[in-house]
Amino acid sequence: MKLLFLNGVNLNLTGKREPGVYGTETLESINRDIAAHFAEDECSFYQSNLEGEICTAIQNADGVYDGIILNAGAFTHYSYAIRDAIASVSVPVVEVHMSNVHSREEFRNKSVLSEVCKGVICGFGKNSYILAGESFKL
Ligand code: DQA
């Protein structure tokens, strides 16, 4: 199975920013654990702080990957461009968040992406990515 793990804005700072919320492990280390978990599969990893680059990555994944695991970071809460990119492709996307966005500030309760995603997983730290990846195998 070909899986794309896609991270948006500020996720490159994972391990350094707000460690009480996101932990102390870097994105690089998290990606290594994900790759080890999905050793039988073909995993790709991409992170960008730029909204348009996330859209391009989604567009380019169509017909190439079996699924996208997307943590769009704060883009989740307002990016109609990413929402439209997801709606424009047939590759399924699972939205993920490391933190439980429903137990935090009110603006995080709203995702403009969820409606066009296959599903949403949040609150399990780095395991949110693994649970989302596993969902493509059900
Ligand atoms: C996040 C939650 C978002 O609200 C936040 O803006 C992030 C990370 C998470 O993984 O919990 O950057 O997507």
Side-chain angles (χ1 to χ4, degrees), residues 60-107:
N60 290 344
D62 204 19
V64 176
Y65 290 93
D66 298 301
I68 300 175
I69 296 89
L70 173 65
N71 185 350
F75 291 146
T76 304
H77 311 299
Y78 63 87
S79 176
Y80 297 122
I82 294 175
R83 179 196 169 106
D84 283 352
I86 296 168
S88 302
V89 294
S90 52
V91 54
V93 178
V94 172
E95 175 185 332
V96 306
H97 303 284
M98 287 188 278
S99 65
N100 179 353
V101 285
H102 301 290
S103 67
R104 300 181 62 195
E105 301 95 324
E106 205 181 333
F107 77 89

Side-chain angles (χ1 to χ4, degrees), residues 2-22:
K2 283 190 78 170
L3 300 172
L4 174 62
F5 292 83
L6 189 53
N7 281 283
V9 64
N10 293 319
L11 271 304
N12 57 311
L13 297 180
T14 304
K16 297 180 198 95
R17 71 160 176 159
E18 300 185 76
V21 179
Y22 302 115

